[in-house]
Amino acid sequence: MDWGALHTLIGGVNKHSTSIGKVWVTVIFIFRVMILVVAAHEVWGDEQEDFVCNTLQPGCKNVCYDHFFPVSHIRLWALQLIFVSTPALLVAMHVAYYRHETTRKFRRGDKRSEFKDIEDIKKQKVRIEGSLWWTYTSSIFFRIIFEAAFMYVFYFLYNGYHLPWVLKCGIDPCPNLVDCFISRPTEKTVFTIFMISASVICMLLNVAELCYLLLKVCFRRSKRAQTQRNHPNHALKESKQNEMNELISDSGQNAITGFPS
Amino acid sequence: MTNMSWSFLTRLLEEIHNHSTFVGKVWLTVLVVFRIVLTAVGGEAIYSDEQAKFTCNTRQPGCDNVCYDAFAPLSHVRFWVFQIVVISTPSVMYLGYAVHRLAREEEEEETGAAEGAGEEAEEAGAEEACLTKGAGADCKATGTRGTAGQHDGRRRIQREGLMRVYVAQLVARAAFEVAFLVGQYLLYGFEVRPFFPCSRQPCPHVVDCFVSRPTEKTVFLLVMYPRAGSEKGSASSRDGKTTVWI
């Protein structure tokens, strides 16, 4: 699994994230991806070889292992990390689209006053406003949904987060109720609890980021409303100018020409 | 693959290098070079067959598994991985905070430069600070901020008002080191014995279980742990001096 490619992708989105978003990326890569690859893979490496059942009946061990571990923990965690990182691609695509539009306008001669050259456009940090705000907020919302869904799937598949030493299995072709022993159950339980805790921390960070973005918008709107009350003409002009700027930058439609600033 | 994954952390630790005092850099180098490499290379080689070759003197199915689980609820290598990650966490948090402060101050500088007055006032303030401290060449070097976003050296950290946070992360790091040292002693000791007696169900009675490569593991533990003690000692004694006159 090439986690480096994912790291490059998410690292690119990191530049345009909030501070909480940056902390989230660090937690994902240090506490989850790194632990998964460096440590968890070895713990689960021999999970089927060292799964032992108290019977000589051929095939009993295989069916019992398959019954108790339909999807291995490692694969579920890898899937969870991929799903949780995918919404960030939406933000990356939106930023790329915005840059593409800005470059196009620059070449046409529209934004020469704002940027010196195309490199400047590429280096500029895109602010989370307008439609990018909606994209960013939806990506966080989807992240939260995916995290919660995977935590529930884990709980449902393995009847909680604790792995017992011994499992009783009576599925055909096992002749009777046989004892089956898992390899390294305590170590696996420790890792499961660690990874679940890291998921919970990531979920809390996402919720905090969502609240922060919503508060920022409310604060900006109330500030605008206040400015409008104090300086109605100026506020009206400012808000119209902002709307115009948003229209130009977000939709790429024809700018409203001849509007007094 | 494993080395590539450690790179997530080593890249961050290299960045932390640019935000530490001299002793902090030495500690970081020791952590990066010795501990991570030892864990990745030695841990993999020595502990790869720890369960496969863990044998108990019985043919009872399942007895090997449960006795191995009793012998090593958490393997040494995984314990060291958690140790490295947890001990690096305060430094990573400090890095995030320092970079955030740097970025915010640069933004304020830019808006100040646009207004015109702010920049001059800042320069005057910086010069004054240099004069009062009485350092000559040091001041010139630390006077220009933002060389590749560096924030290193005791004086620079102090000038940025980050010394308290820096010391707090040092204290947290030292506390974690002590905690893991105590944890290692309580969980495993500093020796791996060749025999492990076990009587957990379904083992029929007290059986002798034999550990794979006990001497090699003991030598490895002794290599890892005396260094952890010396790192902690040197880091706290030198950096302790910097906290005296805050």
Side-chain angles (χ1 to χ4, degrees):
Chain A
M1 193 133 232
D2 190 5
W3 295 106
L6 188 69
H7 185 245
T8 317
L9 221 76
I10 306 296
V13 174
N14 207 18
K15 277 183 275 185
H16 311 286
S17 304
T18 60
S19 309
I20 305 176
K22 290 174 183 164
V23 172
W24 177 84
V25 171
T26 309
V27 169
I28 281 270
F29 279 98
I30 305 283
F31 288 92
R32 294 172 75 179
V33 175
M34 202 185 89
I35 295 286
L36 184 71
V37 177
V38 164
H41 264 293
E42 280 164 35
V43 176
W44 268 266
D46 56 5
E47 59 177 324
Q48 192 171 12
E49 279 164 30
D50 283 335
F51 181 80
V52 168
C53 288
N54 191 2
T55 178
L56 287 174
Q57 172 65 44
C60 178
K61 180 181 127 164
N62 283 28
V63 298
C64 291
Y65 176 80
D66 188 60
H67 175 75
F68 289 112
F69 301 103
V71 184
S72 170
H73 286 71
I74 297 270
R75 260 68 73 184
L76 266 179
W77 283 327
L79 274 175
Q80 183 180 15
L81 286 167
I82 291 167
F83 270 83
V84 157
S85 312
T86 307
L89 294 179
L90 287 173
V91 177
M93 287 191 306
H94 191 130
V95 169
Y97 170 76
Y98 167 78
R99 286 219 173 110
H100 173 74
E101 286 296 307
T102 314
T103 313
R104 206 164 52 87
K105 280 173 199 141
F106 185 80
R107 286 209 176 104
R108 242 182 19 206
D110 287 349
K111 292 216 171 190
R112 297 263 166 185
S113 57
E114 279 179 55
F115 302 104
K116 283 181 243 152
D117 58 12
I118 288 174
E119 283 306 310
D120 216 27
I121 296 173
K122 287 188 180 151
K123 280 185 209 151
Q124 185 213 23
K125 184 189 163 180
V126 183
R127 291 183 68 120
I128 305 174
E129 283 165 351
S131 63
L132 184 62
W133 184 91
W134 285 102
T135 311
Y136 195 81
T137 314
S138 349
S139 78
I140 297 175
F141 180 73
F142 279 113
R143 271 189 228 160
I144 297 171
I145 299 286
F146 288 140
E147 291 272 22
F150 272 92
M151 280 171 66
Y152 174 72
V153 164
F154 253 104
Y155 190 85
F156 177 74
L157 273 180
Y158 297 108
N159 294 320
Y161 301 123
H162 169 80
L163 273 94
W165 305 345
V166 59
L167 296 161
K168 306 276 184 194
C169 175
I171 307 167
D172 261 341
C174 302
N176 46 276
L177 201 66
V178 301
D179 290 335
C180 292
F181 302 91
I182 303 176
S183 149
R184 312 177 203 244
T186 311
E187 201 163 3
K188 285 177 180 170
T189 305
V190 168
F191 269 91
T192 306
I193 292 172
F194 181 87
M195 295 294 269
I196 295 292
S197 311
S199 286
V200 167
I201 291 171
C202 286
M203 238 167 65
L204 289 173
L205 284 170
N206 286 328
V207 167
E209 200 175 0
L210 203 60
C211 294
Y212 167 74
L213 287 170
L214 290 168
L215 280 170
K216 210 167 130 182
V217 155
C218 293
F219 183 69
R220 213 185 298 151
R221 283 208 179 134
S222 70
K223 205 174 161 189
R224 208 183 289 171
Q226 209 176 31
T227 327
Q228 227 168 10
R229 275 199 299 272
N230 296 338
H231 304 282
N233 290 331
H234 180 259
L236 180 67
K237 282 179 196 168
E238 211 189 295
S239 70
K240 290 285 183 191
Q241 185 66 44
N242 284 340
E243 269 177 41
M244 194 174 85
N245 288 341
E246 277 181 20
L247 273 169
I248 292 168
S249 66
D250 296 343
S251 64
Q253 288 166 7
N254 294 328
I256 301 167
T257 54
F259 195 84
S261 58
Chain B
M1 173 70 153
T2 313
N3 291 332
M4 185 215 67
S5 310
W6 279 112
S7 73
F8 296 140
L9 186 61
T10 51
R11 254 181 267 170
L12 271 177
L13 290 174
E14 277 165 27
E15 194 50 46
I16 291 167
H17 227 256
N18 296 331
H19 295 79
S20 304
T21 60
F22 174 70
V23 177
K25 287 181 203 207
V26 169
W27 177 88
L28 220 56
T29 310
V30 169
L31 173 73
V32 171
V33 173
F34 286 108
R35 225 182 246 171
I36 293 179
V37 170
L38 275 179
T39 305
V41 173
E44 226 174 290
I46 298 170
Y47 289 84
S48 58
D49 60 1
E50 60 175 335
Q51 190 175 9
K53 296 278 192 257
F54 182 87
T55 323
C56 292
N57 190 5
T58 177
R59 292 185 72 167
Q60 170 65 42
C63 184
D64 278 5
N65 281 27
V66 298
C67 289
Y68 176 79
D69 190 58
F71 168 71
L74 184 67
S75 169
H76 288 172
V77 185
R78 263 69 74 183
F79 184 81
W80 295 331
V81 168
F82 282 129
Q83 183 179 11
I84 291 167
V85 168
V86 169
I87 286 170
S88 308
T89 305
S91 305
V92 170
M93 284 167 63
Y94 170 75
L95 173 73
Y97 178 71
V99 166
H100 177 71
R101 268 282 283 265
L102 245 182
R104 216 174 50 187
E105 281 169 14
E106 274 175 19
E107 265 179 43
E108 280 167 17
E109 257 183 55
E110 274 170 28
T111 50
E115 284 159 24
E119 203 182 339
E120 283 173 35
E122 207 208 303
E123 273 179 1
E127 269 177 56
E128 207 181 329
C130 284
L131 286 167
T132 51
K133 296 233 165 81
D138 230 8
C139 216
K140 243 188 225 169
T142 56
T144 54
R145 188 203 305 156
T147 39
Q150 281 191 315
H151 216 175
D152 62 344
R154 184 163 56 85
R155 288 181 197 281
R156 208 184 274 188
I157 292 173
Q158 198 152 29
R159 201 164 60 99
E160 302 300 338
L162 287 171
M163 191 48 97
R164 280 208 182 114
V165 181
Y166 186 76
V167 168
Q169 66 100 6
L170 274 183
V171 167
R173 221 199 277 165
F176 286 138
E177 290 263 22
V178 170
F180 273 93
L181 209 60
V182 169
Q184 169 76 32
Y185 177 72
L186 292 175
L187 281 173
Y188 310 109
F190 294 103
E191 187 197 351
V192 178
R193 296 210 179 99
F195 309 106
F196 176 72
C198 170
S199 59
R200 256 193 193 180
Q201 284 291 327
C203 303
H205 46 79
V206 181
V207 297
D208 286 331
C209 296
F210 303 91
V211 178
S212 154
R213 310 174 201 249
T215 311
E216 197 167 1
K217 287 174 182 171
T218 305
V219 168
F220 201 71
L221 273 175
L222 294 174
V223 167
M224 285 283 271
Y225 279 93
R227 192 172 336 80
S230 69
E231 277 167 41
K232 191 178 59 66
S234 68
S236 54
S237 68
R238 285 292 301 278
D239 282 334
K241 281 187 195 163
T242 65
T243 64
V244 167
W245 49 281
I246 285 172

